[in-house]
């Protein structure tokens, strides 16, 4: 379970290649590697720059072809999606509007559709709804390399890159749904999120600290975010320095139907404030029910969790 959480495994089978000397991930999508390179000619399968992986012609839905060099200087969304997937089609409708708003604001932004459709006919039908670029369906090798590069485990997934090709966020789907006016584009990650219907899916990605508050009190949610944020930033910075993903996500949860469902599912008391760490994959929870939540209490709770000093309760 520690390994599942460390590598954020959501589907099986999964095969991850590591550098045994440093412990760093070399490739998250090893199944595609051994399918695409059965002779091991590209071993040790380390990550390549986006610019190198995307190199080649890109298409518009009118048949026009552009070279990938046309992306230079732009933020890029790499959109993994398919027509057969209902959540993908729903996201595409929202994403079309977001794309239009960002372009109309004068910002340099392009999206590249990487299809997981099951036939070229289905790809063409789906791509006809999209105003952006796509990797040609016939270029299966390049589509596979992009899936490998970002360790795609499910669709829809929208990866947002800066103009240098570095990842800004892997949670483009959540950001698009939460920010329909695109005011926060290019969606740099926030250390602490306010739990919502659209980002609740992230609770399944690994252990999450969730501070439940009484949102009927004016400013309670914002005050809770400000309380947690320094601790979240410290943890994120510590693991970023090691080139690792933070072992916890941080949320503040107010009072709504979704939060009520989460409390019911995890069998949490109705108290507020209530400090918890929820680990859905391990079906475990850690609960601190105190009258007042202070930064020192949160930091001690997080440190004890990371040091494996807390005793889990079953979900």
């Amino acid at each position: 379970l520690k390994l599942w959480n460390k590598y954020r495994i959501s589907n099986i089978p999964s095969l991850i290649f590591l550098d045994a000397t440093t412990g760093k991930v070399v490739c998250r999508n090893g199944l595609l590697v051994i399918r695409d390179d059965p002779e091991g000619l590209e071993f040790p399968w380390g990550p390549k720059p986006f610019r190198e992986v995307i190199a080649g012609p890109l298409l518009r839905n009118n048949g026009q072809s552009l070279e990938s060099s046309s992306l230079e200087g732009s933020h890029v969304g790499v959109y993994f999606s398919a027509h057969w997937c209902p959540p993908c089609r729903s996201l595409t409708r929202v994403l079309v509007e977001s794309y239009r708003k960002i372009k109309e604001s004068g910002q340099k932004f392009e999206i590249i559709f990487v299809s997981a459709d099951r036939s070229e006919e289905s790809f063409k039908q789906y791509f006809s709804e999209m105003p952006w670029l796509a990797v040609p369906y016939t270029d299966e090798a390049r589509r596979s390399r992009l899936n490998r590069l970002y360790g795609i485990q499910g669709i829809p997934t929208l990866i947002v890159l800066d103009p240098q090709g570095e990842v800004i966020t892997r949670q483009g789907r959540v950001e698009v749904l939460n920010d329909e006016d695109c005011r926060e584009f290019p969606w740099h990650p926030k250390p602490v999120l306010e739990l919502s219907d659209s980002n609740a899916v992230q609770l399944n990605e690994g252990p999450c600290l969730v501070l439940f508050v009484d949102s009927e009190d004016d400013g309670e949610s914002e005050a809770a975010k400000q309380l947690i944020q320094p601790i979240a930033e410290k943890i994120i910075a510590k693991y970023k320095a090691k080139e690792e993903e933070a072992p916890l996500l941080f949320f503040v949860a107010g009072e709504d139907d979704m939060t009520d469902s989460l409390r019911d599912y995890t069998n949490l008391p109705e108290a507020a404030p209530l400090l918890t760490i929820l680990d859905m994959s391990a079906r475990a929870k850690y609960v601190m029910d105190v009258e007042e939540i202070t930064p020192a209490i949160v930091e001690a709770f997080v440190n004890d969790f990371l040091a494996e000093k807390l005793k889990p309760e079953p979900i």
Side-chain angles (χ1 to χ4, degrees), residues 24-48:
K24 291 178 181 175
V25 173
V26 173
C27 176
R28 289 186 173 277
N29 216 326
L31 295 176
L32 283 179
V33 166
I34 58 174
R35 187 195 74 182
D36 296 347
D37 185 26
E39 303 297 323
L41 300 177
E42 297 178 28
F43 181 83
W45 305 303
K48 297 177 179 178

Side-chain angles (χ1 to χ4, degrees), residues 110-247:
E110 195 50 79
I111 293 176
I112 300 168
F113 170 41
V114 183
S115 172
D117 287 295
R118 292 165 178 158
S119 69
E120 187 168 11
E121 182 181 350
S122 180
F123 160 77
K124 288 179 178 177
Q125 179 185 351
Y126 192 29
F127 186 38
S128 69
E129 305 168 13
M130 302 177 183
W132 45 74
L133 300 169
V135 175
Y137 186 79
T138 53
D139 196 343
E140 185 175 351
R142 191 162 32 144
R143 290 192 288 124
S144 182
R145 286 196 299 271
L146 286 162
N147 272 274
R148 282 162 48 186
L149 179 62
Y150 298 115
I152 301 303
Q153 296 192 38
I155 56 173
T157 295
L158 177 65
I159 311 282
V160 181
L161 311 177
D162 68 16
Q164 289 72 48
E166 299 296 324
V167 173
I168 293 176
T169 179
R170 299 177 59 87
Q171 299 295 337
R173 173 190 185 183
V174 171
E175 299 294 353
V176 164
L177 295 174
N178 275 346
D179 181 28
E180 292 189 8
D181 292 328
C182 305
R183 290 185 180 135
E184 298 180 13
F185 176 83
W187 302 305
H188 289 280
K190 298 184 181 73
V192 183
L193 299 173
E194 193 157 346
L195 192 63
S196 67
D197 288 334
S198 57
N199 65 27
V201 65
Q202 291 177 255
L203 293 172
N204 295 312
E205 293 186 3
C208 298
L209 182 143
V210 184
L211 175 54
F212 293 86
V213 297
D214 181 0
S215 59
E216 292 180 359
D217 290 355
D218 291 342
E220 186 76 15
S221 291
E222 190 57 38
K225 280 196 274 187
Q226 294 302 319
L227 185 149
I228 294 174
Q229 184 152 325
I231 296 125
E233 288 174 342
K234 185 188 294 186
I235 295 291
I236 291 165
K238 176 182 175 182
Y239 283 84
K240 186 176 182 181
K242 298 193 288 184
E243 297 184 16
E244 295 181 10
E245 290 189 33

Side-chain angles (χ1 to χ4, degrees), residues 223-275:
K225 280 196 274 187
Q226 294 302 319
L227 185 149
I228 294 174
Q229 184 152 325
I231 296 125
E233 288 174 342
K234 185 188 294 186
I235 295 291
I236 291 165
K238 176 182 175 182
Y239 283 84
K240 186 176 182 181
K242 298 193 288 184
E243 297 184 16
E244 295 181 10
E245 290 189 33
L248 275 173
L249 297 176
F250 295 83
F251 291 90
V252 168
E255 291 190 337
D256 54 30
D257 290 343
M258 197 278 298
T259 300
D260 289 344
S261 297
L262 178 61
R263 282 186 187 264
D264 290 344
Y265 177 74
T266 54
N267 196 27
L268 288 170
E270 291 297 321
L274 183 68
L275 184 62

Side-chain angles (χ1 to χ4, degrees), residues 275-296:
L275 184 62
T276 69
I277 291 174
L278 305 178
D279 188 345
M280 296 301 192
S281 61
R283 298 191 63 81
K285 63 186 177 185
Y286 307 82
V287 182
M288 178 166 284
D289 186 1
V290 294
E291 287 188 14
E292 184 181 3
I293 306 290
T294 66

